[in-house]
Amino acid sequence: MFVEVALPLPVSRTFTYRLNDREAKPGTRVRVPFGPRRIVGWVVAATSDMAQPAEGGGSPAEIRAVDAVLEERPSIPPDLLELCRWIADYYVVPIGLVIRAALPLALSDPRRRAEPQKSRRMARIVRELPGLLARDELFRRAPRQRACYEAIEASGGSAAVQHLTERLGFSTAVVRGLVEKELVGIIDQREQRDPFSSVQVAPPPALRPTAAQQGAIEAIIAASRTDSIVQPFLLLGVTGSGKTLVYIEVLREIVTRQGRSAIVLVPEIALTPQTVARFRSHFGDVVAVLHSALSDGERFDAWRSLRDGERRIAIGARSAIFAPVRDLGAIIVDEEHESTYKQSESPRYHARDAALIRARAAGAVCVLGSATPALESWSNVEHGKFRLLQLPERVEGRPLPAVQVVDLRAPKDAAERSPAGRPILSQPLSEAIADRLRRGEQTILLLNRRGYATFVQCRACGAVWHCEACNVSLTYHRARRRLVCHYCFHEEPPPTHCDACGSGDLSFRGVGTEQVEREVGERFPSARVARMDVDTTSGKWAHHDILGRVERGEVDILLGTQMIAKGLDFPRVTLVGVVNADVAMNLPDFRATERTFQLLTQVAGRAGRGERPGIVFVQTALPEHYAIRFALQHDFRAFADREIAERAETRYPPHTRLANVVISGNDEAATQQAAAEAATWTRRAARDVAVELTGPAPCPIDKIRGRWRWHFLLRSDSPRALGSVCRALQLDYTLRPGRAELRLILDRDPVSLL
Ligand SMILES: [Zn+2]
Ligand SMILES: [Zn+2]
């Protein structure tokens, strides 16, 4: 028998191996020889065709044999293998790399034969001794055995042997004595490494769905009970409208009543502890949380418990779409517009799109939820591909927060000016903060830029300090007294004079979160302030700690980057201040406007979620811009109409499909030339299909980590035509080898063109 094996290598083919007197179903993990190495691969098909032997040769006699079949049951169930195939095909990635990304790391280790499994030996009482007389009789000459027996009894009838011997000081002979008397049995209990099992979860509050929530729940449940292909749902609900309640009631039907499984995707699990806690409070240990802070072992345990059906709800970020659940009944993608659903390295899949594919194949319902859906999803509603469900109002009749614009162009009095000359906190925002402090309410301040000053400039000649390896300005971090590159992490001491002209007159410009923190501290010295950005959340559970303090009311002002805009629900937050709404607007990316609208709407939505109404101040120099205007009005539809019309002119999604091809190398001229050659080749390959090529041109950030970057764009209305050109480019084209270490990256449906 021969098998096709996918290997986790950057080669776009599978390899044929011989399988001696054994069977291995597709999806089975095997260890195979590859050159001098032994590596782990996955059987993707049984075959009698020996077209692609592992190396050289070609005749059946020369085909090498599988070294070991590593598991009885395939680690990739058939539906998951199908999903991996789709990703490999659509994003043009070797399937071995997709499978590796889909599985816990532990399963790519060639030395690991059996599944890693911590087990511990448990002593369990197998014969009860109800009366004291019986005990006196049995243990007459063995008081230690009696003490040990009663210790096990006291801990509920079973105890870890290690606990008895090491902590309680019983000898192994004592335990053995109890086993010989057939009073106690020793069993191996598989230990579930789940850091969430110790997290106390409050019982869920009983909530009555609103009419709109009830309508959405009923529509989704009805669809889950039909046999026909289910249309995906887009749940458009304003912030605070209770989308999570809808998800929970849907899962109650799918998981509890129908006995099937479900996957819940959240943008970033560390930032959504409240959402996760709500699912756990309703479904308890049926939930496996796939947290990025899990160790490899914990991750493996969660994975295994899902595969074995012990747990039936997988909650996690992007990669949870690969959860090996049995009998999938629903996939929920919360905050479906978030760009974190797109993986930024190979395989560059979009988890929302993978969710649609997996749900359709499984006959499961798929619910995409957001207050600010991606325009691609909205366009799918308009074209009848998705079914729209709406939650137009907040729960309990609470109003959406009032939003006020503070025009940064208006003259301000000198007292409010930062050293750089622009106000950080305007008069109305400062007064509102002071008000909240007096009333014991909480404030959220957003500035989507970290560090103290985002660039350093010479006042005499205008020179700006850049990273030598990346063509971006260096950010000044005041607490550490360093200039830092946010792309390659290069650091250097801050300058004292200009290298170009020798002037010592330098200005530290562009306000970052660190500077806001300082300003807030100076203005409100008694306020308890917490800052949440990449610099303050390097620890595994740092997000959790900060958000816990806010929840307990130990923080008056939470300030941070976009991290604080996502899904937080703190009833005492009645004020949100956006320090500068224009940060993302001017990025050279076709989604810059959409991102700005989403961020403003989402952060505004953090205000007034409890009984007291909320207010939002948006500081901007672009008060007339439609992204800001429509965010003030909480009007997603108006924004979508306008932005979709704008994109029609420039031919960007959702009007067309894109692939971004980036050529990089460590020599500027060689990179430019390679990009030109690749573009010429691709143009020829695209000649007879409806695919249009724009470029090549330098990427907006034209150098990162010492590598120059050029790109060109492929556009098509036909996914099929675009796919064929992408495949041709990836499989048939090779960059001319040279000294520049050239690389070609193909990113289909990119979320960013930077
Ligand atoms: Zn200078
Ligand atoms: Zn750099």
Side-chain angles (χ1 to χ4, degrees), residues 638-655:
F639 171 76
D641 288 349
R642 172 71 186 266
E643 181 65 12
I644 287 176
E646 297 275 334
R647 293 210 195 150
E649 285 168 30
T650 46
R651 294 251 301 137
Y652 276 114
H655 300 285

Side-chain angles (χ1 to χ4, degrees), residues 3-9 15-19 28-43 54-55 64-70 110:
V3 285
E4 286 299 309
V5 177
L7 300 175
L9 302 170
F15 296 92
T16 309
Y17 286 91
R18 197 173 57 242
L19 196 57
T28 301
R29 214 157 54 92
V30 292
R31 189 173 61 209
V32 296
F34 190 80
R37 291 190 290 159
R38 292 279 185 281
I39 54 180
V40 166
W42 293 271
V43 173
E55 51 239 280
R64 298 173 79 177
V66 167
D67 196 44
V69 176
L70 298 173

Side-chain angles (χ1 to χ4, degrees), residues 113-344:
R113 197 187 168 87
E115 296 173 353
Q117 193 67 67
K118 250 192 180 171
S119 75
R120 50 180 191 168
R121 284 157 39 84
M122 302 289 293
R124 180 182 289 170
I125 290 178
V126 292
R127 181 148 66 96
E128 309 260 351
L129 297 172
L132 282 176
L133 275 174
R135 292 181 193 208
D136 290 342
E137 180 74 20
L138 257 167
F139 295 122
R140 189 177 305 146
R141 269 165 304 180
R144 289 296 287 160
Q145 285 186 11
R146 179 173 185 158
C148 184
Y149 182 89
E150 288 174 349
I152 299 170
E153 205 172 37
S155 58
S158 72
V161 172
Q162 196 181 8
H163 179 76
L164 295 171
T165 55
E166 288 177 14
R167 299 293 293 276
L168 302 182
F170 296 107
S171 68
T172 47
V174 168
V175 179
R176 212 181 313 122
L178 290 174
V179 174
E180 280 161 10
K181 288 197 167 94
E182 294 182 354
L183 294 167
V184 163
I186 303 291
I187 52 160
D188 270 345
Q189 190 182 69
R190 268 202 308 222
E191 195 178 345
Q192 186 93 30
R193 289 161 289 189
D194 177 0
F196 294 92
S197 60
S198 62
V199 178
Q200 286 299 314
V201 179
L207 292 173
R208 284 259 303 277
T210 63
Q213 284 172 325
Q214 191 60 38
I217 294 163
E218 282 168 11
I220 299 166
I221 288 178
S224 79
R225 289 178 180 159
T226 64
D227 290 331
S228 53
I229 288 180
V230 186
Q231 215 178 7
F233 292 96
L234 180 74
L235 180 62
L236 172 64
V238 298
T239 56
S241 60
K243 291 186 284 292
T244 308
L245 179 75
V246 174
Y247 305 151
I248 284 169
E249 292 309 316
V250 168
L251 294 195
R252 206 185 301 289
E253 163 72 19
I254 302 284
V255 176
T256 313
R257 296 196 201 103
Q258 297 183 13
R260 303 171 78 186
S261 297
I263 296 173
V264 180
L265 299 183
V266 294
E268 224 173 310
I269 204 138
L271 298 178
T272 47
Q274 293 174 315
T275 310
V276 172
R278 276 189 69 186
F279 282 101
R280 288 194 65 240
S281 76
H282 281 271
F283 300 102
D285 285 342
V286 172
V287 176
V289 182
L290 305 167
H291 195 296
S292 56
L294 295 185
S295 68
D296 285 350
E298 289 164 344
R299 190 174 298 277
F300 176 81
D301 288 356
W303 180 89
R304 189 201 50 75
S305 67
L306 289 164
R307 187 200 62 184
D308 293 351
E310 289 165 19
R311 297 189 183 217
R312 287 187 287 130
I313 299 175
I315 300 185
R318 189 173 58 224
S319 64
I321 192 57
F322 297 114
V325 295
R326 291 176 163 187
D327 191 11
L328 180 66
I331 304 181
I332 285 159
V333 184
D334 191 23
E335 309 295 352
E336 65 90 32
H337 62 279
E338 283 283 350
S339 55
T340 52
Y341 284 127
K342 181 79 158 55
Q343 174 138 305
S344 58

Side-chain angles (χ1 to χ4, degrees), residues 2 16-18 49-54 57-65:
F2 296 95
T16 309
Y17 286 91
R18 197 173 57 242
D49 171 16
M50 285 76 73
Q52 309 202 313
S59 71
E62 289 167 52
I63 291 179
R64 298 173 79 177

Side-chain angles (χ1 to χ4, degrees), residues 5 10 21 43 46 60 126 149 175 261 265 302 323 329 367 400 425 500 522 557 574 595 640 643 734:
V5 177
D21 35 81
V43 173
V126 292
Y149 182 89
V175 179
S261 297
L265 299 183
V367 183
L400 282 160
L425 301 175
E522 283 173 2
I557 301 173
T574 58
R595 294 260 175 276
E643 181 65 12
T734 27

Side-chain angles (χ1 to χ4, degrees), residues 467 470 485 488:
C467 173
C470 315
C485 171
C488 72

